[in-house]
Amino acid sequence: MLQYPTMTSNIKLEESWRNRLYKTFDLPYMQDLRQFLKEERNHGKVIYPQPYQYFAALNLTPFDKVKVAILGQDPYHGEGQAHGLCFSVPPEQRLPPSLRNIYKEIEQDEGVLMPQHGCLVSWAQQGVLLLNSVLTVEHGKAASHQKKGWEQFTGAIIATLNDEKEHLVFILWGGYAQKKGALIDRDKHLVIEGLHPSPLSAHRGFFGKHYFSRTNTYLKKYGKTPVDWSLPNQAQAFEVYQAAEQHNQNIYTTTS
């Protein structure tokens, strides 16, 4: 039987984040959200990602390691695509169009040849928080879980980062992600904005903004290790992905 992330007494979340966010799990919007997800599954709805992957972005990038945050909208709504990191897919999946455009920009900006897989776990392990604004979605229905409470929760994550850390880079692509910009003190952090990498909008100005080199220039300015935007080959990516999945499952099945 599937379990669901529960309230304060049993939060399935990496410790450093749990210590900062535990109070939010008792708020009415989170209780309503949990009930909504439970009812949707009870009615036979297929929801992505799996419950143990809801908080994968936080589990794989502990609070103290965060130096960059890339904000997405909601998870991919096709079978087998979403695994809890924005824009990322498991190594065996085809590259989604938005991620393909991100890779093009990295190649132009950093001169890095990107692989044919779309698994971004290695970025998360370097301190890149790959956070969607909404953390679940119904199969085949983009944006179906918007305005159910996730936006408030992920807003709390951004506010916590803004308040407790300095000299982070926030990359906000598209209007939905840019709404979170109101939570960020631009005197303390670097905010880089651009159009969404979706093929529907990328041609209007996503490319050529040097998001990745600007990020590393800023990190080095403040004595932080730059991000290696290159990714492992497919065989290595499978190993990294499987280890990340096991890590998420361990957190999910361990009661606090």
Side-chain angles (χ1 to χ4, degrees):
M1 179 181 295
L2 288 172
Q3 300 177 19
Y4 298 87
T6 58
M7 298 301 103
T8 305
S9 61
N10 192 26
I11 300 169
K12 309 297 189 179
L13 185 59
E14 187 275 331
E15 183 178 10
S16 67
W17 284 109
R18 186 174 66 242
N19 290 341
R20 289 170 171 84
L21 298 172
Y22 71 92
K23 291 182 180 179
T24 65
F25 285 82
D26 280 334
L27 295 176
Y29 77 83
M30 284 298 282
Q31 296 183 31
D32 292 345
L33 173 60
R34 180 174 180 267
Q35 186 62 30
F36 165 75
L37 292 171
K38 184 176 181 179
E39 290 177 357
E40 290 290 280
R41 289 191 185 276
N42 286 344
H43 284 97
K45 302 288 184 65
V46 177
I47 296 174
Y48 303 131
Q50 294 298 312
Y52 76 89
Q53 299 169 323
Y54 288 175
F55 303 131
L58 304 177
N59 293 340
L60 297 177
T61 311
F63 178 85
D64 291 341
K65 291 188 176 181
V66 177
K67 55 190 175 185
V68 180
I70 298 178
L71 303 187
Q73 296 185 13
D74 61 345
Y76 297 121
H77 54 84
E79 183 178 0
Q81 291 183 300
H83 67 104
L85 305 182
C86 73
F87 297 107
S88 181
V89 293
E92 71 275 9
Q93 290 286 324
R94 293 180 60 183
L95 279 181
S98 293
L99 185 55
R100 190 177 297 277
N101 283 336
I102 292 170
Y103 280 9
K104 289 179 182 178
E105 176 65 11
I106 293 174
E107 290 177 350
Q108 293 172 3
D109 185 17
E110 291 278 275
V112 173
L113 184 63
M114 302 304 288
Q116 292 302 305
H117 71 79
C119 180
L120 306 182
V121 169
S122 65
W123 291 0
Q125 293 173 334
Q126 293 181 72
V128 180
L129 182 67
L130 296 166
L131 184 68
N132 278 313
S133 293
V134 175
L135 301 187
T136 57
V137 70
E138 183 181 344
H139 170 74
K141 296 184 177 180
S144 52
H145 288 185
Q146 290 183 6
K147 299 181 180 179
K148 301 297 184 182
W150 281 128
E151 292 93 340
Q152 291 163 274
F153 178 72
T154 54
I157 294 169
I158 298 304
T160 299
L161 288 169
N162 176 72
D163 293 345
E164 295 192 31
K165 296 179 79 76
E166 292 185 337
H167 309 312
L168 300 180
V169 180
F170 293 88
I171 300 177
L172 311 180
W173 287 322
Y176 204 80
Q178 288 164 18
K179 292 178 182 178
K180 293 284 196 286
L183 302 170
I184 302 167
D185 182 347
R186 299 177 190 229
D187 292 328
K188 289 175 61 179
H189 308 287
L190 176 64
V191 178
I192 305 176
E193 298 180 336
L195 292 178
H196 195 276
S198 163
L200 298 176
S201 57
H203 66 283
R204 300 201 305 269
F206 169 76
F207 296 108
K209 298 295 181 65
H210 304 287
Y211 310 99
F212 305 97
S213 60
R214 289 165 63 191
T215 292
N216 280 345
T217 296
Y218 183 85
L219 293 176
K220 288 187 284 187
K221 177 181 177 180
Y222 290 101
K224 299 184 180 185
T225 304
V227 177
D228 179 2
W229 297 110
S230 67
L231 292 167
N233 64 38
Q234 186 131 5
Q236 293 169 328
F238 271 109
E239 294 181 7
V240 171
Y241 175 75
Q242 291 297 331
E245 285 286 276
Q246 187 62 58
H247 179 66
N248 284 321
Q249 290 175 352
N250 289 344
I251 291 174
Y252 187 71
T253 55
T254 301
T255 302
S256 306

